[in-house]
Amino acid sequence: MNTPLRVAFAGTPAFAARALEAIIDAGFDVPLVLTQPDRPAGRGMKLTPSAVKQIALKHGIEVDQPERLRTVEQRARLAASTPDVLVVAAYGLILPPAVLQLPRLGCLNIHASLLPRWRGAAPIHRAIEAGDRETGITIMQMDEGLDTGPMLMRHALSIAADDTTGSLHDKLAELGATSIVEALRLLPAGGLVAEVQPLDGVTYASKIGRNDAEIDWRRPARDIECAVRAFNPFPGAVGHLRGNLIKLWSARIVDAQGVPGEVLQADEAGVVVACGDGALCFTELQRSGSRRMGAGEFLRGFAVNAGETFSLENPAAA
């Protein structure tokens, strides 16, 4: 009888938790899980364990939450777990060479893009924002660079016209889970062929900041519609009207023209705003301090009139 592969796991959010569940369900021996320290969350800012930690505790798996992995002491529990391989998914810490060299079969990363496109922290957001029609999962052998290691497996996934970062995240989490199980089954027998990433096509998915979601109404409607979907559910695309911050959650392109930022129509069907090329009808909106609402309900609480103009820049930054 073959001894199960010993798979240590490092990850933090829901994307990683789905992969950990799949690895456990597939029967691999998981001696240790690494995850970020508990963070304050919710209205009460109560210390809350990560999604990965919750899965690990549910299955009785040992959890370690070091702030860094730079010292021998910080790496001690990982070393003592003697993993054959370390699987990493959205962990949030850079792995030093000592960690990369620790497992006999190395460290595998589950990356939510078709490398070398969208290396970096926010590949799902940036793929939608750029209007990409396809993304996927890459299983990569980790090296010391930023998502630069050789590729072991790639599975493509079409991006639907109505995909948000939230919906695409869930699809990619499932694909990542099935892909890593497939890779781990092939790994011990040398069934994975490492492919060096090409130099052509490299792009970087920088971390999402709140300022990224500020709408520039001078851009084409198509670009802004992609941004609205990219920043749903975080941080939410933002416009400013009469000094009020308005989050714009859902939009469709309409055949209309006007001065960029000008409200062309506002009724139950939506708030139509002119862009640099074309216009968008926003059907779900949210005023600061309130909740997301359909256009009709939003307008009953916050009047918007044709002829008004959304600010081209954030008034707070002016």
Side-chain angles (χ1 to χ4, degrees):
M1 182 176 177
N2 293 331
T3 303
L5 199 66
R6 289 176 63 80
V7 182
F9 188 89
T12 299
F15 179 87
R18 182 66 195 94
L20 176 59
E21 276 190 307
I23 291 168
I24 295 168
D25 291 345
F28 293 104
D29 179 12
V30 183
L32 180 70
V33 164
L34 299 174
T35 191
Q36 288 278 306
D38 296 359
R39 306 293 189 200
R43 291 189 176 181
M45 297 302 287
K46 179 181 178 182
L47 281 179
T48 303
S50 71
V52 162
K53 181 177 178 179
Q54 293 177 49
I55 295 297
L57 294 178
K58 173 184 171 183
H59 291 275
I61 297 171
E62 181 181 351
V63 175
D64 191 16
Q65 298 175 270
E67 291 281 356
R68 296 285 186 274
L69 288 167
R70 294 173 181 166
T71 68
V72 171
E73 291 75 19
Q74 290 169 333
R75 300 190 295 267
R77 291 174 70 180
L78 178 60
S81 71
T82 61
D84 297 310
V85 62
L86 173 64
V87 171
V88 182
Y91 180 29
L93 289 184
I94 295 174
L95 302 188
V99 171
L100 296 175
Q101 297 162 10
L102 194 155
R104 67 180 183 87
L105 296 175
C107 301
L108 304 188
N109 178 247
I110 309 169
H111 188 76
S113 80
L114 296 175
L115 292 171
R117 187 163 177 78
W118 301 128
R119 295 174 178 173
I124 303 176
H125 292 81
R126 298 305 185 188
I128 294 179
E129 184 185 21
D132 290 2
R133 295 184 178 181
E134 183 181 63
T135 185
I137 290 290
T138 303
I139 305 299
M140 174 187 66
Q141 186 85 50
M142 296 179 71
D143 62 13
E144 293 181 44
L146 176 63
D147 300 326
T148 56
M151 303 177 294
L152 303 175
M153 181 179 291
R154 293 165 92 240
H155 289 308
L157 178 72
S158 295
I159 299 177
D162 60 351
D163 263 328
T164 64
T165 287
S167 65
L168 188 57
H169 167 280
D170 293 349
K171 295 175 186 179
L172 287 170
E174 290 297 327
L175 184 58
T178 57
S179 297
I180 192 60
V181 168
E182 180 185 358
L184 290 172
R185 286 174 174 159
L186 293 170
L187 184 65
L192 295 172
V193 177
E195 177 186 353
V196 175
Q197 292 188 38
L199 296 179
D200 292 338
V202 173
T203 58
Y204 289 92
S206 56
K207 185 177 179 181
I208 301 299
R210 293 189 181 277
N211 288 339
D212 288 325
E214 296 281 344
I215 291 178
D216 181 349
W217 298 101
R218 294 163 291 196
R219 295 174 63 197
R222 171 61 66 187
D223 291 356
I224 296 175
E225 189 272 340
C226 288
V228 169
R229 291 187 291 113
F231 300 128
N232 183 355
F234 175 83
V238 172
H240 300 271
L241 183 64
R242 304 195 304 268
N244 293 277
L245 184 151
I246 309 294
K247 289 200 173 185
L248 305 161
W249 293 109
S250 182
R252 68 176 186 274
I253 296 173
V254 294
D255 185 14
Q257 297 289 337
V259 176
E262 179 186 3
V263 177
L264 304 178
Q265 179 180 325
D267 55 29
E268 292 279 338
V271 178
V272 178
V273 183
C275 306
D277 178 20
L280 288 172
C281 179
F282 294 96
T283 56
E284 188 178 11
L285 308 92
Q286 180 181 7
R287 190 178 177 187
S288 182
S290 185
R291 57 180 175 81
R292 294 165 64 154
M293 302 177 188
E297 184 181 5
F298 177 85
L299 292 171
R300 285 190 288 275
F302 183 78
V304 177
N305 301 304
E308 293 189 275
T309 302
F310 277 84
S311 303
L312 295 181
E313 297 179 352
N314 181 356

